[in-house]
Amino acid sequence: GQNIDQPTEMTATEGAIVQINCTYQTSGFNGLFWYQQHAGEAPTFLSYNVLDGLEEKGRFSSFLSRSKGYSYLLLKELQMKDSASYLCAVRSGGSYIPTFGRGTSLIVHP
Amino acid sequence: EAQVTQNPRYLITVTGKKLTVTCSQNMNHEYMSWYRQDPGLGLRQIYYSMNVEVTDKGDVPEGYKVSRKEKRNFPLILESPSPNQTSLYFCASSLQVPRTGSLEQYFGPGTRLTVT
């Protein structure tokens, strides 16, 4: 099985930077996803990391360390619309279907 | 437009009355899956399918059935729904990008099911 941990809730200020951490324990790691989900809506894809290091996509960046079983999602220049849940999901054992953590609810306030 | 569709979007039903939630994708994806999402528990896999006629159990398959007779469709069947199956259900389809090895997963809009 897999064990994926993320903080339940975080708050941050508009314009600031926030880092959402995800740790995982799994065998046969294949890759790690980050998704954004607004309340009542479907998750939308943000990033997929397979190799160690930082990948940047506009205001969002995702980092992976396979040896530490650790990833983070970095959000810069926070906007109110970034208030959402952020889901970490791990793909392992050759499966194309990832397993999700419980998600981190991010609240951005003015 | 590339998309995953689910129907119905909202359903209120009674215990024991069989129901089917349909899922269809127009992207020719091989991999499809069903999740349920409950407060505090996150997204949990119910069933997944790697190809036509190939299905497998996820983490919470009890009380559900699926079928994959064609590539585009992956219906979720509740033979005898119970109140503990009240939840928000998402269908998803996935594709591995050959050039990069990256994996892309697209979700349907969700089906909110209430079983009384």
Side-chain angles (χ1 to χ4, degrees):
Chain A
Q2 299 179 58
N3 190 22
I4 303 170
D5 286 314
Q6 317 177 223
T8 303
E9 188 174 292
M10 300 181 70
T11 59
T13 305
E14 191 175 15
I17 299 173
V18 71
Q19 177 175 310
I20 303 174
N21 295 326
C22 173
T23 58
Y24 63 88
Q25 294 172 312
T26 188
S27 55
F29 175 85
N30 295 129
L32 187 144
F33 295 85
W34 283 99
Y35 288 84
Q36 180 191 61
Q37 185 181 26
H38 286 99
E41 297 182 11
T44 55
F45 172 84
L46 292 177
S47 66
Y48 178 60
N49 293 64
V50 176
L51 301 176
D52 291 351
L54 184 69
E55 291 194 8
E56 299 185 66
K57 248 188 226 181
R59 294 191 298 115
F60 293 7
S61 303
S62 56
F63 171 84
L64 176 67
S65 168
R66 289 172 295 172
S67 62
K68 295 181 180 176
Y70 168 69
S71 173
Y72 67 73
L73 181 69
L74 192 71
L75 292 75
K76 303 176 189 173
E77 301 168 19
L78 280 172
Q79 303 174 11
M80 299 297 290
K81 68 178 182 180
D82 296 330
S83 292
S85 283
Y86 291 86
L87 313 178
C88 172
V90 173
R91 184 184 155 215
S92 65
S95 172
Y96 291 97
I97 314 298
T99 298
F100 284 78
R102 297 185 179 190
T104 299
S105 177
L106 174 66
I107 301 167
V108 180
H109 54 83
Chain B
E1 181 191 350
Q3 60 182 351
V4 180
T5 56
Q6 294 178 228
N7 280 294
R9 295 288 314 278
Y10 302 90
L11 179 61
I12 300 174
T13 190
V14 296
T15 299
K17 186 177 180 184
K18 181 179 178 180
L19 66 93
T20 299
V21 184
T22 64
C23 174
S24 183
Q25 50 97 1
N26 62 0
M27 296 168 279
N28 203 36
H29 288 175
E30 288 185 351
Y31 320 117
M32 296 186 74
S33 53
W34 276 102
Y35 293 88
R36 62 177 288 174
Q37 188 171 38
D38 303 287
L41 297 177
L43 276 162
R44 294 180 292 168
Q45 281 183 37
I46 303 172
Y47 269 93
Y48 62 93
S49 170
M50 304 295 276
N51 212 328
V52 175
E53 301 291 2
V54 180
T55 63
D56 213 339
K57 296 177 181 178
D59 298 320
V60 288
E62 294 78 21
Y64 304 95
K65 285 173 58 177
V66 293
S67 69
R68 188 92 182 273
K69 294 188 170 63
E70 336 160 69
K71 203 171 193 178
R72 62 182 293 126
N73 296 323
F74 191 44
L76 179 70
I77 302 152
L78 285 72
E79 295 271 4
S80 183
S82 61
N84 65 11
Q85 292 178 298
T86 293
S87 187
L88 178 59
Y89 291 86
F90 288 103
C91 178
S93 72
S94 310
L95 171 72
Q96 183 160 39
V97 181
R99 182 175 58 85
T100 64
S102 181
L103 195 67
E104 298 177 354
Q105 186 175 42
Y106 299 88
F107 282 83
T111 295
R112 188 166 292 281
L113 173 65
T114 302
V115 184
T116 60

